[in-house]
Amino acid sequence: MIRRVLIANRGEIALRIVRACRDVGCESIVASSVVDRDSLPARSATRTVVIGPARASESYLRPELIIHAALATGCDAVHPGYGFLSEQAALADLCRENGLIFIGPAPEILRRLGDKVTAREAANAVGIPVPPGAIVRSAEEADSRAAEIGYPIILKATAGGGGRGIRVLYDREALQNSFAIAANEAQSAFGDGRLHIERYVQGARHVEIQVLGDGFGNVVDLGERECSLQFNYQKVLEEAPCTALSAEQRRTICDAAVGLLKSLGYVGAATVEFLWDPARGAYYFLEVNPRVQVEHPVTEVITGIDIVAEQIRVASGDRLSFDRTSLNFCGHAIQCRINAQSPRHRLRPSPGRIEKWSIPAGPSVRVDSHCEPGYLVPPYYDSLLAKIIAWGPNRDLAIRRMSRALEELVVEGAGIDTNIALHKAILNEPKFRQGEVSTTWLNEYLESPAWTGRIRDESAKASSPRAELGRAPVTAERG
Amino acid sequence: MSNLKTEDVSALLELLKDSGFDELHVETDEFEIYIARRGASSRKLVRVASPSASEPVLPPDRTEVPVLPPVANRSGEKIDAPPQARAAQNGAGAQQITAPLMGTFYRAPSPGAPPFVEVGQEVTPETTIAIIEVMKLMNQIPAGVSGVIEKIFIENGALVEFGQPLMLVVPKSGQ
């Protein structure tokens, strides 16, 4: 069994991994940047090692610092969390070369899944439908391919992921205008300027399958999550199960995901993402995320399986603690991502110091967060403050409990703003209540009078942009 | 941070410029400084007070850097805990040399070779005082300051963290 894990991450996921380490009985070393040295995850771990300055490119994104810290502190494994180096084969390679266990798949698999083209080939090889598409090397080639495929099309950076480097284009002109910019962006953001073009499925739902595999050939799905509520391809609210799937459709997609990962000999946690076209009853492969995901608690809550603990277990060479027949799916779960974002400014990041911090509790509510009163949300990293997860025996009760939890949640501080108001609004939207939102719904909703009017009213009540979150308004500066 | 220098103020301005914040307020026993972006001043201050705050109010160069809290190793096994060097800034003009990167600290260029510096030795900013090794890459660490080595905090071969104090340098007497 792994004895000591180096956690190459920060924020709520670092704390989540520290907790899993405690539960399975191993020690945790958090490799942190200098601004995170006193954070809750750093204090909760067995030890923290400050590996570099605040800027991620000089700390969290440096594989050699992470490996050095792991070796120098006697760790036998490295958990990369999500984001940062979690999908970089370079870290997995270095782990292997230095006799450390990488808590994730083999570097060869990371390379194969990290490239849109080889990932599509792997899916295609096991009979999973992939949307028609191809790599395009020039604007001319993109033009002729798009004509074959038919608009709208989606233009993606081949090496992109996690919703970054994506453009939906509705006509030829838009494609001609975007191609060069997209190629440049892909080159600078991912170090790979190749672009991929695919048919864009309109009205689709984002459905993903959580899978775990061990070194004994067991690959088991833990059902699906629906993550259609996205703003600019960033997930905002996730839930399970998906309201759009019949039992038979669910079985088909889950089996497809398991078949794909079995064909790769996958060990560890992975999520296979699909687009579900409710109009045609068809599903299409999107990508595989070869790591733990932000929304994994939704699945944990309805299955009772600790996904992070299972990751550590299978990385240690043990078997999964369960099999498909022993899994019990129970009720419905929703997760709201609470971000330091300003709803009044198209959800732009809004970091600052948290002065008041009070999190919800009560029956069937779980909170995963690294925040606390007095915490300074650093401007260097992503804006996730907390994940609130609510469970209910059915979707209605899960929504009501989530509403109750959001009412209890208090985040106040100078300069800081959050998307709590947006979550409250979403939970009250008839379209969401009916379980009928597609991946474009939230972007449209943020432009709708229902939302802009709500924001205007709230701004009018507050004395200033900073006053909304509970500071007593004195005079109205803006209307 | 007892003497606020021009460079310190420029560093603060840089910090604010690159951050998502509109205002910065630093208060210590010796001074108080308030900086706001043009038009952003609400006098509702973002307090970054006291030198013990964990955020890098100043860029981590040769200025005072807070040290980790004591390490609680639940297994009881020694895992190279960093020494507590916080109280080391004693006397007028003493300066700490801190680790510009994390890695393994070596006092000599090779095993068995004499150390780069010893306590009592005079150094200039260019003097190599140690090597910090990261994954077999040897990084020479210059003193960055002039003076006499007063104290060496780290044992040869230990892991040093980014920003951790390595040595204390005092001005040469008579200077």
Side-chain angles (χ1 to χ4, degrees):
Chain A
M1 186 70 181
I2 290 169
R3 290 168 33 253
R4 187 178 291 159
V5 177
L6 184 112
I7 300 168
N9 217 302
R10 66 175 303 282
E12 69 85 19
I13 194 63
L15 183 56
R16 172 72 188 86
I17 300 165
V18 167
R19 286 171 170 156
C21 286
R22 284 218 189 131
D23 288 353
V24 303
C26 60
E27 293 180 337
S28 50
I29 311 279
V30 167
S32 100
S33 79
V34 74
V35 282
D36 289 331
R37 71 188 325 164
D38 295 325
S39 64
L40 191 51
R43 300 198 319 269
S44 307
T46 314
R47 187 192 160 176
T48 301
V49 177
V50 179
I51 57 165
R55 195 192 302 261
S57 60
E58 293 170 44
S59 49
Y60 295 113
L61 290 171
R62 295 278 296 272
E64 77 283 10
L65 291 179
I66 283 153
I67 299 294
H68 193 100
L71 294 171
T73 54
C75 290
D76 40 18
V78 174
H79 197 307
Y82 53 67
F84 294 130
L85 293 170
S86 61
E87 297 178 51
Q88 298 298 315
L91 181 63
D93 277 332
L94 274 180
C95 281
R96 184 184 276 174
E97 286 164 23
N98 289 280
L100 293 164
I101 297 168
F102 178 74
I103 303 184
E108 297 76 26
I109 292 180
L110 287 175
R111 282 195 188 88
R112 207 160 155 196
L113 295 175
D115 184 292
K116 294 250 180 303
V117 176
T118 50
R120 275 165 58 98
E121 283 165 7
N124 207 21
V126 294
I128 296 178
V130 288
I135 281 205
V136 285
R137 287 168 195 84
S138 65
E140 293 70 44
E141 195 180 351
D143 188 43
S144 63
R145 285 291 184 173
E148 286 166 32
I149 293 166
Y151 287 93
I153 56 114
I154 185 157
L155 189 64
K156 296 179 179 178
T158 304
R164 301 191 306 141
I166 294 177
R167 283 178 162 76
V168 177
L169 304 166
Y170 287 85
D171 53 40
R172 202 176 161 202
E173 195 190 345
L175 176 61
Q176 293 305 311
N177 288 341
S178 303
F179 189 86
I181 304 169
N184 276 338
E185 244 178 44
Q187 182 63 45
S188 61
F190 311 110
D192 180 349
R194 289 178 305 151
L195 295 175
H196 189 267
I197 183 171
E198 264 176 32
R199 184 202 290 151
Y200 178 62
V201 185
Q202 286 179 291
R205 314 273 289 249
H206 177 111
V207 175
E208 58 184 36
I209 311 298
Q210 174 70 58
V211 184
L212 278 164
D214 65 22
F216 299 88
N218 301 304
V219 179
V220 180
D221 74 88
L222 287 82
E224 84 283 9
R225 292 183 290 261
E226 152 134 35
C227 320
S228 297
L229 269 157
Q230 303 181 7
F231 171 67
N232 291 348
Y233 312 105
Q234 299 298 315
K235 294 164 188 166
V236 172
L237 180 154
E238 300 98 339
E239 61 184 304
C242 168
T243 55
L245 294 181
S246 69
E248 195 186 330
Q249 290 164 338
R250 173 172 299 119
R251 200 61 261 144
T252 304
I253 301 181
C254 287
D255 287 347
V258 168
L260 170 57
L261 294 181
K262 264 201 170 142
S263 77
L264 300 171
Y266 197 94
V267 178
T271 299
V272 187
E273 297 192 330
F274 297 97
L275 278 181
W276 171 249
D277 183 347
R280 296 194 189 128
Y283 67 101
Y284 300 99
F285 174 76
L286 270 181
E287 63 180 11
V288 180
N289 290 321
R291 52 168 168 86
V292 68
Q293 278 194 298
V294 180
E295 59 272 29
H296 76 276
V298 164
T299 300
E300 292 186 326
V301 164
I302 63 164
T303 61
I305 300 296
D306 182 332
I307 292 171
V308 182
E310 294 293 331
Q311 282 187 296
I312 299 171
R313 188 167 292 127
V314 299
S316 298
D318 291 345
R319 285 174 188 274
L320 287 172
S321 71
F322 63 96
D323 59 30
R324 195 63 176 72
T325 52
S326 64
L327 269 186
N328 277 314
F329 291 89
C330 186
H332 197 98
I334 301 176
Q335 170 176 285
C336 286
R337 298 191 190 194
I338 308 302
N339 296 332
Q341 291 175 328
S342 173
R344 258 171 282 90
H345 302 100
R346 297 271 307 164
L347 299 178
R348 78 168 181 219
S350 172
R353 190 179 294 280
I354 295 175
E355 285 158 11
K356 280 194 192 163
W357 174 258
S358 180
I359 57 172
S364 302
V365 169
R366 164 175 165 180
V367 179
D368 280 20
S369 173
H370 59 294
C371 296
E372 54 192 332
Y375 178 68
L376 181 80
V377 180
Y380 315 102
Y381 314 109
D382 73 36
S383 58
L384 183 64
L385 299 178
K387 308 187 305 200
I388 314 285
I389 303 100
W391 178 88
N394 52 57
R395 190 168 184 267
D396 271 352
L397 193 47
I399 291 174
R400 267 186 280 152
R401 282 177 168 156
M402 181 60 84
S403 300
R404 177 246 292 170
L406 294 177
E407 286 305 324
E408 290 180 21
L409 178 63
V410 178
V411 186
E412 287 176 21
I416 204 161
D417 205 349
T418 75
N419 63 347
I420 298 171
L422 176 62
H423 281 298
K424 288 178 178 169
I426 291 170
L427 295 183
N428 280 318
E429 276 300 309
K431 203 78 167 148
F432 173 77
R433 292 267 177 168
Q434 289 148 21
E436 287 175 358
V437 300
S438 73
T439 53
T440 51
W441 182 83
L442 185 55
N443 279 8
E444 291 156 14
Y445 175 70
L446 288 169
E447 301 293 342
S448 72
W451 172 248
T452 52
R454 199 183 170 105
I455 284 301
R456 222 181 9 254
D457 292 348
E458 286 192 13
S459 297
K461 273 186 257 165
S463 67
S464 77
R466 276 152 202 242
E468 183 193 309
L469 290 158
R471 284 181 172 273
V474 183
T475 53
E477 287 173 3
R478 58 179 72 197
Chain B
M1 258 208 275
S2 55
N3 296 311
L4 189 68
K5 300 188 204 69
T6 321
E7 306 91 84
D8 299 336
V9 178
S10 357
L12 286 171
L13 289 170
E14 273 304 300
L15 188 76
L16 185 66
K17 198 178 93 193
D18 293 339
S19 78
F21 298 103
D22 286 331
E23 302 160 14
L24 179 73
H25 180 226
V26 182
E27 191 178 356
T28 72
D29 291 339
E30 284 77 28
F31 68 87
E32 182 175 357
I33 180 166
Y34 171 78
I35 309 172
R37 285 178 197 276
R38 195 169 294 130
S41 170
S42 68
R43 296 303 300 183
K44 203 177 279 167
L45 300 180
V46 180
R47 281 186 179 265
V48 185
S50 92
S52 63
S54 57
E55 298 73 34
V57 175
L58 292 174
D61 52 16
R62 300 297 185 273
T63 55
E64 184 182 3
V65 171
V67 184
L68 280 182
V71 171
N73 180 354
R74 290 179 193 88
S75 71
E77 188 187 334
K78 184 177 186 296
I79 46 172
D80 287 333
Q84 294 305 295
R86 172 146 183 78
Q89 187 115 11
N90 54 2
Q95 283 181 288
Q96 279 181 358
I97 304 171
T98 60
L101 76 169
M102 182 215 71
T104 304
F105 176 85
Y106 291 111
R107 288 193 51 202
S110 59
F116 291 107
V117 292
E118 295 282 9
V119 169
Q121 189 176 329
E122 191 180 342
V123 295
T124 66
E126 293 75 37
T127 310
T128 297
I129 57 143
I131 281 174
I132 294 182
E133 177 238 319
V134 185
M135 299 298 289
K136 314 276 185 290
L137 274 178
M138 302 297 171
N139 303 277
Q140 292 189 25
I141 309 303
V145 294
S146 297
V148 175
I149 303 282
E150 165 92 359
K151 207 164 187 178
I152 298 172
F153 300 123
I154 313 289
E155 274 178 49
N156 191 54
L159 175 71
V160 291
E161 303 182 27
F162 171 77
Q164 191 173 345
L166 303 174
M167 298 184 189
L168 188 70
V169 175
V170 294
K172 200 182 166 194
S173 51
Q175 265 180 348

